[in-house]
Amino acid sequence: AQKITQTQPGMFVQEKEAVTLDCTYDTSDQSYGLFWYKQPSSGEMIFLIYQGSYDEQNATEGRYSLNFQKARKSANLVISASQLGDSAMYFCAMRALGNTDKLIFGTGTRLQVFP
Amino acid sequence: DTGVSQDPRHKITKRGQNVTFRCDPISEHNRLYWYRQTLGQGPEFLTYFQNEAQLEKSRLLSDRFSAERPKGSFSTLEIQRTEQGDSAMYLCASSFQGDTEAFFGQGTRLTVV
């Protein structure tokens, strides 16, 4: 069975600083995808970044980068130069590729950015 | 196209009543998903459709829950005889087969009193 673990219920970071949100996963699949979503108070899940299990390079999207360590089964999200608008819930998720299309989510980390 | 649209945004209902939610996916997307999110948890998969075919249902989807996507476009999720435990945010997402990303709507928040 697939499982996502996010051990940080909440994180604080000062504006313009970098922050790392932790995510570990468990799967027996050889092919899988890892995702990070942002959920502001409005409720919508906003896609941030994707990493495929066979991608050799860490994914980057603007201020977001994914620190993928396959042997450790970790997929941490790094947000550089935090902004006040980054305050939200952040969810790590995975999907088995070529099997089912569903996403398995972690319990999330609430990030608060202060001035 | 402004993205995935869900209606209503909020619903308060009395225990035992039936409720129906609607999801309009992004127009060219052939896959549609329903998730449920309770307070303090991540979304949990309920079911998904490819075109009008319902390809997978979670064990979370009890007999009181039914989802349809009759013409492969919009979808409805109906909950019969609602219970207080059904109180949650119901999220809809859509994607195009083969694409990596699924786009989510803003959800329908259900409160059963």
Side-chain angles (χ1 to χ4, degrees), chain A residues 35 37 39 42-45 47 50 91 95 100-103 105-107, chain B residues 9 31 33 35 37 41-43 45 48 56 99-102 104-106:
Chain A
F35 301 76
Y37 281 85
Q39 188 177 42
S42 60
E44 182 181 0
M45 300 288 283
F47 168 78
Y50 167 81
F91 291 94
R95 182 177 73 199
T100 180
D101 216 32
K102 65 187 177 187
L103 289 170
F105 286 87
T107 52
Chain B
R9 294 290 311 281
R31 288 188 164 179
Y33 317 80
Y35 291 83
Q37 185 178 20
Q41 300 296 317
F45 170 80
Y48 92 96
E56 185 173 348
D99 282 356
T100 301
E101 179 184 351
F104 283 78
Q106 289 188 298

Side-chain angles (χ1 to χ4, degrees), chain A residues 27-77:
Chain A
T27 182
S28 57
D29 294 314
Q30 296 301 308
S31 294
Y32 49 89
L34 295 158
F35 301 76
W36 277 93
Y37 281 85
K38 173 184 178 182
Q39 188 177 42
S41 55
S42 60
E44 182 181 0
M45 300 288 283
I46 301 168
F47 168 78
L48 296 177
I49 196 166
Y50 167 81
Q51 178 86 40
S53 59
Y54 288 116
D55 294 340
E56 294 186 353
Q57 297 219 336
N58 287 344
T60 59
E61 289 285 348
R63 296 186 298 112
Y64 305 108
S65 61
L66 198 151
N67 184 359
F68 180 47
Q69 297 190 40
K70 195 170 182 178
R72 295 186 178 182
K73 292 190 174 179
S74 74
N76 298 341
L77 177 70

Side-chain angles (χ1 to χ4, degrees), chain B residues 8 14 18 28 36-38 42 64 75 91 97 103 110:
Chain B
K14 291 184 178 179
N18 299 344
E28 63 267 25
R36 181 173 70 186
Q37 185 178 20
T38 53
R64 296 184 298 106
S75 175
L91 292 163
Q97 184 178 1
F103 293 83
L110 173 67

Side-chain angles (χ1 to χ4, degrees), chain B residues 3-17:
Chain B
V4 179
S5 177
Q6 292 189 245
D7 183 69
R9 294 290 311 281
H10 302 273
K11 178 72 177 178
I12 300 175
T13 190
K14 291 184 178 179
R15 190 173 51 185
Q17 297 294 304

Side-chain angles (χ1 to χ4, degrees), chain B residues 35-108:
Chain B
Y35 291 83
R36 181 173 70 186
Q37 185 178 20
T38 53
L39 205 60
Q41 300 296 317
E44 296 174 292
F45 170 80
L46 291 179
T47 188
Y48 92 96
F49 293 84
Q50 182 164 314
N51 299 312
E52 65 276 7
Q54 190 172 19
L55 294 186
E56 185 173 348
K57 292 193 296 185
S58 163
R59 288 174 295 177
L60 294 174
L61 216 63
S62 76
D63 291 344
R64 296 184 298 106
F65 288 69
S66 63
E68 294 183 342
R69 195 183 182 197
K71 296 183 180 179
S73 56
F74 74 91
S75 175
T76 57
L77 177 67
E78 181 184 16
I79 309 174
Q80 296 182 328
R81 304 180 304 281
T82 52
E83 302 173 354
Q84 284 190 321
D86 297 331
S87 295
M89 174 80 87
Y90 290 84
L91 292 163
C92 176
S94 71
S95 72
F96 188 76
Q97 184 178 1
D99 282 356
T100 301
E101 179 184 351
F103 293 83
F104 283 78
Q106 289 188 298
T108 294

